[in-house]
């Protein structure tokens, strides 16, 4: 994305995007207030979600929760190229400088180690001490589809409750049929701690996200969260 394509943002809007990036997960307004000192509401929410398409807001529960869209990730990668807002203080200017250094570090890692590292992977929290990823299931064996979905979710999610796209989930479940995965997801949805929701900003969906959607009550859903029961 060219630097000229980075939209004009206020200091609070920049901070909201950076906190969502650094946490690399969906945050509700209570969490945002704790981390950033403010909730994403009103004009700031309208601009980031409806006008710019940088944030997807889930209003199906309270407090509302927010996550970066694909465009949001693209923009946040280029925030270091923007001119600081006129109303910004030294903290915002320092933050923009830090973002530039993080970006350079990621580029060096990609070059020197020939591995693609995204901001989402870079900021993803480590699993709590004592927790380990579930062992992969032998694709040739009889597979409990629900257990397999839970195992893959645990591998993709940074921690319990984090949102994982169904497209990413299905990519890791190629040994199961589409119907088997759908049935497992619907069964899991009846269990405590499991949520499957649509993405609020459908314009941000890629073809693979639409293809991977699960129809629930006549509405396509795109993301899975498995928290602690």
């Amino acid at each position: 994305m060219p630097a000229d394509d980075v939209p004009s943002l206020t200091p609070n809007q920049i901070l909201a995007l950076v906190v969502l990036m650094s946490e690399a997960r969906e945050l509700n307004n209570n969490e945002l207030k704790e981390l950033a000192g403010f909730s994403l509401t009103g004009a700031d929410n309208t601009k980031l979600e409806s006008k710019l398409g940088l944030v997807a807001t889930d209003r199906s529960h309270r407090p509302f929760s927010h996550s970066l869209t694909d465009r949001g990730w693209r923009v946040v990668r280029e925030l270091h190229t923007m001119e600081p807002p006129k109303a910004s203080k030294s903290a915002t200017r320092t933050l923009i400088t830090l973002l530039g250094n993080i970006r350079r570090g990621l580029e060096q890692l990609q070059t020197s180690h020939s591995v693609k590292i995204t901001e989402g992977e870079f900021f993803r929290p480590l699993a709590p001490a004592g927790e380990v990823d579930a062992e992969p299931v032998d694709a040739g064996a009889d597979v409990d589809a629900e257990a397999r979905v839970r195992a893959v979710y645990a591998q993709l999610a940074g921690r319990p409750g984090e949102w994982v796209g169904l497209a990413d989930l299905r990519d890791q479940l190629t040994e199961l049929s589409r119907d088997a995965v759908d049935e497992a997801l619907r069964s899991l949805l009846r269990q405590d701690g499991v949520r499957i929701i649509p993405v609020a900003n459908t314009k941000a969906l890629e073809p693979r996200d639409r293809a991977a959607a699960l129809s629930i009550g006549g509405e396509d859903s795109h993301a899975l969260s498995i928290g602690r029961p």
Side-chain angles (χ1 to χ4, degrees):
M1 172 181 290
D4 291 344
D5 288 347
V6 177
S8 175
L9 299 167
T10 67
N12 269 12
Q13 290 162 7
I14 292 171
L15 290 173
L17 293 176
V18 171
V19 169
L20 288 171
M21 175 187 70
S22 63
E23 285 294 300
R25 62 185 178 93
E26 186 178 61
L27 294 174
N28 65 43
N29 275 329
N30 289 346
E31 293 172 311
L32 265 174
K33 189 168 185 178
E34 181 179 349
L35 293 168
F38 61 90
S39 299
L40 184 54
T41 58
D44 286 336
N45 190 191
T46 299
K47 182 173 181 179
L48 292 179
E49 181 192 18
S50 304
K51 294 183 178 179
L52 298 177
L54 306 183
V55 166
T57 298
D58 179 5
R59 295 182 174 81
S60 65
H61 57 88
R62 288 185 178 275
F64 296 163
S65 55
H66 317 276
S67 58
L68 290 177
T69 63
D70 289 339
R71 174 170 168 74
W73 277 107
R74 290 195 295 271
V75 166
V76 85
R77 292 183 186 113
E78 302 299 331
L79 283 179
H80 65 283
T81 66
M82 72 182 295
E83 285 293 323
K86 293 181 179 179
S88 62
K89 298 181 180 180
S90 58
T92 305
R93 294 173 181 271
T94 300
L95 180 60
I96 290 174
T97 300
L98 175 62
L99 291 174
N101 289 330
I102 290 173
R103 187 62 186 168
R104 282 192 292 274
L106 286 171
E107 289 171 351
Q108 290 171 359
L109 287 170
Q110 291 173 23
T111 300
S112 61
H113 298 290
S114 300
V115 60
K116 181 174 178 57
I117 299 175
T118 66
E119 282 84 348
E121 292 165 337
F122 180 80
F123 285 109
R124 179 173 289 169
L126 293 173
E131 289 189 13
V132 297
D133 289 340
E135 290 295 323
V137 177
D138 181 358
D142 290 336
V143 177
D144 180 329
E146 286 186 37
R148 185 76 180 107
V149 169
R150 283 186 176 275
V152 169
Y153 174 86
Q155 292 167 359
L156 294 175
R159 54 185 168 184
E162 183 175 321
W163 290 104
V164 169
L166 294 186
D168 294 333
L169 188 82
R170 291 188 192 276
D171 283 349
Q172 304 300 317
L173 293 169
T174 55
E175 77 277 15
L176 297 175
S177 69
R178 170 85 184 216
D179 288 345
V181 175
D182 286 357
E183 184 178 348
L185 288 171
R186 289 194 173 93
S187 178
L188 286 170
L189 191 56
R190 295 190 290 269
Q191 300 175 24
D192 291 340
V194 179
R195 295 177 62 203
I196 303 175
I197 65 169
V199 169
N201 183 9
T202 56
K203 292 181 180 179
L205 292 173
E206 296 183 351
R208 64 189 291 269
D209 298 310
R210 297 181 187 278
L214 178 70
S215 179
I216 301 174
E219 183 177 22
D220 284 348
S221 295
H222 313 91
L224 167 69
S225 169
I226 302 180
R228 300 184 187 281

